Amino acid sequence: HDYFKFRAAVKNLDQRLGSLLGSAFDDLDTMQMRLKLFDNFEGLIERPIIQAELEKKHKMLLRQYQQDLTRVETSFIENRDKVDQCFDDAPIYSNLPPVAGAIYWARSARNRIAEPMTKIVLYNHILRETPEEFREVDKQYLNLEKMLVGYEHYRYQAWENTSVDIAKEKLKMRLLRRQEKTGLLKVNFDPALVRLIREVRFFLVFDIEVPPAAQEMFNKSGMRASASEKDQDKESVTYRQWVAQLDHIVQMYNSVLTELLPVEEPLLEDRITKMDVALSPGLTDLKWRSEDRIPEFIENTMKVVSDVSGVVDVMKENLRSISTILSHWCKEPIIERKKGAKPMAMDEFDLKHKERVGMRMMSMSDGGRDIHKLLKDSSEALKVSKVATTWKAYVDFVNNIVIE
């Protein structure tokens, strides 16, 4: 009697659990939440009464999954061209490069359909039968999976067959190039190399094998595939370091050429020639694959260009200081008519006028000494003879600024 009473209590509990499962299933409208609900009943689903409830809901789950497969397929077909052509409204993350972004997009679609399929196959095993509806769903799933995998392979193969060889050729380019119209310099690190390095970085994040040549270029880029990687040896040289250093050199060189006034150029003519000679190998001989010679070139040119840039900075700073001194002289007039001032006697006015002129002359004398000191500093920085024609022309230029 106690045994049958126990059986009745267990059956009643199973019925209540089955009812709860069915009610909760109907309240949820997303496949992910419904699958999570079944996961929460793990260990109880194989009980006959609960299994009967699962069987009824399993067919609904299959229909919902089939609808989801159709949505994923439709979205993939509609957006494939947008992704291939990198449209602004393409459904890929803006921080991802084109190929890695396209592969991640396709892989995300695969992950979306794969997880529910795994659970559905498990439920088939629990029910010990395969519903007729499952065969159609399985066929649609396999076709979509094949389409997505094929798209991933297509994008990767197209990238490997074109971008890697192009990037290898770009390593044959010279380090620097001179712009025809302005004569200014520019670092000649081609965008194709940057694109390849970015693609490889995300391929490694996605655990996609990359060609050895691309891997070698990435290893020299100075980038890391993930934040968890160990820091690289500080002594190692990389494209990233080289580009940053060359950018700094080029910026200093271009500033010297663009900021110099016509009267200043003769004073630095020899130094500018020395800069051009030092930079010449980067324009004519050195290429990005000349790895053994690039560090020495950067070290030499950095020293030469920094020296010239430092001299120009001193000259420009001294000239600005002279302009500041002159602006203080003109800041206030010697005679100022104040509003509401009372008339004064000529003797009193003459006395105050002489007092103001004396104070201004004292200020100008101090400023004149400062200007002479600034000119001396510029002369010492230039290491130029005071009797040189170029230096006399520069002094006349400063005198004219003071007079004006």
Side-chain angles (χ1 to χ4, degrees):
H1 175 75
D2 291 339
Y3 174 72
F4 287 109
K5 188 176 179 180
F6 171 74
R7 287 285 303 273
V10 171
K11 183 177 181 181
N12 180 54
L13 182 59
D14 285 349
Q15 288 173 342
R16 291 171 65 183
L17 284 173
S19 177
L20 176 63
L21 176 62
S23 176
F25 185 92
D26 293 336
D27 289 341
L28 299 172
D29 54 1
T30 66
M31 173 168 292
Q32 287 73 18
M33 294 304 295
R34 287 176 169 177
L35 291 172
K36 190 173 182 179
L37 175 66
F38 286 148
D39 288 342
N40 290 335
F41 279 82
E42 185 180 1
L44 299 173
I45 288 180
E46 296 185 2
R47 303 181 73 86
I49 295 176
I50 300 176
Q51 191 174 111
E53 189 65 34
L54 171 61
E55 187 174 355
K56 289 188 289 185
K57 301 304 181 184
H58 186 48
K59 293 182 180 180
M60 293 178 59
L61 197 64
L62 282 172
R63 287 195 295 271
Q64 186 177 17
Y65 179 58
Q66 188 171 26
Q67 293 171 359
D68 196 44
L69 287 174
T70 302
R71 281 193 293 268
V72 171
E73 183 176 358
T74 302
S75 174
F76 175 74
I77 293 172
E78 289 178 350
N79 292 292
R80 181 167 48 191
D81 289 340
K82 293 181 181 180
V83 172
D84 288 344
Q85 298 178 43
C86 299
F87 286 177
D88 291 337
D89 59 342
I92 60 175
Y93 291 109
S94 57
N95 66 319
L96 291 178
V99 180
I103 291 177
Y104 183 76
W105 172 62
R107 188 163 290 188
S108 298
R110 286 175 58 198
N111 293 336
R112 174 177 171 179
I113 64 174
E115 184 178 355
M117 189 61 174
T118 304
K119 297 292 180 65
I120 289 173
V121 171
L122 175 63
Y123 301 149
N124 288 344
H125 176 71
I126 293 173
L127 295 172
R128 297 184 179 85
E129 65 173 336
T130 301
E132 186 64 32
E133 295 87 343
F134 175 78
R135 293 182 174 85
E136 184 177 347
V137 170
D138 186 47
K139 181 179 179 181
Q140 185 175 356
Y141 166 79
L142 292 175
N143 288 337
L144 181 55
E145 171 78 4
K146 182 179 179 181
M147 184 189 303
L148 294 171
V149 171
Y151 178 75
E152 286 186 33
H153 289 166
Y154 159 72
R155 289 305 303 266
Y156 180 81
Q157 289 298 327
W159 170 80
E160 183 180 9
N161 293 336
T162 56
S163 300
V164 177
D165 291 338
I166 291 175
K168 286 173 64 178
E169 287 299 314
K170 298 301 182 182
L171 291 176
K172 299 178 182 178
M173 297 173 61
R174 294 176 178 85
L175 301 184
L176 305 171
R177 66 184 177 91
R178 193 179 294 276
Q179 301 178 36
E180 295 182 3
K181 293 183 179 180
T182 61
L184 302 179
L185 295 183
K186 185 177 181 181
V187 179
N188 200 26
F189 195 74
D190 196 272
L193 286 165
V194 178
R195 287 194 297 269
L196 179 131
I197 290 168
R198 291 192 67 226
E199 295 284 5
V200 172
R201 178 192 176 193
F202 284 99
F203 285 159
L204 295 175
V205 171
F206 301 152
D207 199 24
I208 299 175
E209 186 177 355
V210 296
Q215 180 70 59
E216 182 181 358
M217 284 184 272
F218 177 80
N219 292 340
K220 295 175 183 176
S221 70
M223 298 180 68
R224 291 182 294 169
S226 65
S228 61
E229 289 185 7
K230 293 183 179 179
D231 291 335
Q232 295 179 353
D233 187 351
K234 292 182 180 179
E235 298 297 327
S236 64
V237 289
T238 64
Y239 296 136
R240 194 175 190 178
Q241 292 172 339
W242 291 339
V243 170
Q245 291 168 340
L246 289 171
D247 271 331
H248 182 53
I249 292 170
V250 165
Q251 184 180 8
M252 291 191 294
Y253 177 85
N254 291 341
S255 295
V256 169
L257 295 190
T258 55
E259 292 180 5
L260 283 181
L261 299 172
V263 72
E264 296 170 330
E265 289 179 5
L267 291 168
L268 292 158
E269 186 175 0
D270 293 343
R271 285 182 169 87
I272 293 174
T273 302
K274 188 177 179 181
M275 280 198 306
D276 289 333
V277 171
L279 289 164
S280 178
L283 292 163
T284 59
D285 183 31
L286 290 179
K287 301 173 183 178
W288 290 105
R289 61 182 183 180
S290 308
E291 299 164 7
D292 55 333
R293 299 166 57 194
I294 292 177
E296 182 182 359
F297 168 76
I298 291 176
E299 183 181 355
N300 293 337
T301 53
M302 182 73 77
K303 184 177 179 180
V304 173
V305 177
S306 295
D307 175 64
V308 180
S309 179
V311 173
V312 173
D313 288 343
V314 170
M315 291 179 63
K316 292 298 180 183
E317 183 60 31
N318 289 341
L319 196 59
R320 282 192 290 269
S321 298
I322 291 172
S323 298
T324 301
I325 293 171
L326 297 176
S327 65
H328 286 315
W329 293 354
C330 305
K331 191 174 183 179
E332 295 179 358
I334 296 177
I335 300 177
E336 184 179 3
R337 181 171 181 146
K338 297 182 179 179
K339 188 176 181 180
K342 295 180 179 181
M344 64 177 63
M346 282 293 298
D347 292 342
E348 184 182 358
F349 173 81
D350 186 53
L351 182 64
K352 290 191 175 183
H353 176 63
K354 288 180 180 179
E355 181 182 344
R356 292 193 187 98
V357 170
M359 292 176 62
R360 181 60 56 85
M361 289 296 295
M362 185 181 301
S363 174
M364 292 178 70
S365 296
D366 292 340
R369 284 192 291 271
D370 291 338
I371 290 174
H372 281 291
K373 184 177 183 304
L374 291 169
L375 281 173
K376 183 180 178 182
D377 291 343
S378 296
S379 173
E380 291 175 353
L382 287 165
K383 298 178 182 178
V384 62
S385 173
K386 293 183 179 179
V387 298
T389 305
T390 53
W391 176 248
K392 288 182 178 180
Y394 183 72
V395 172
D396 290 340
F397 167 74
V398 176
N399 285 335
N400 289 332
I401 293 177
V402 175
I403 294 171
E404 291 174 3

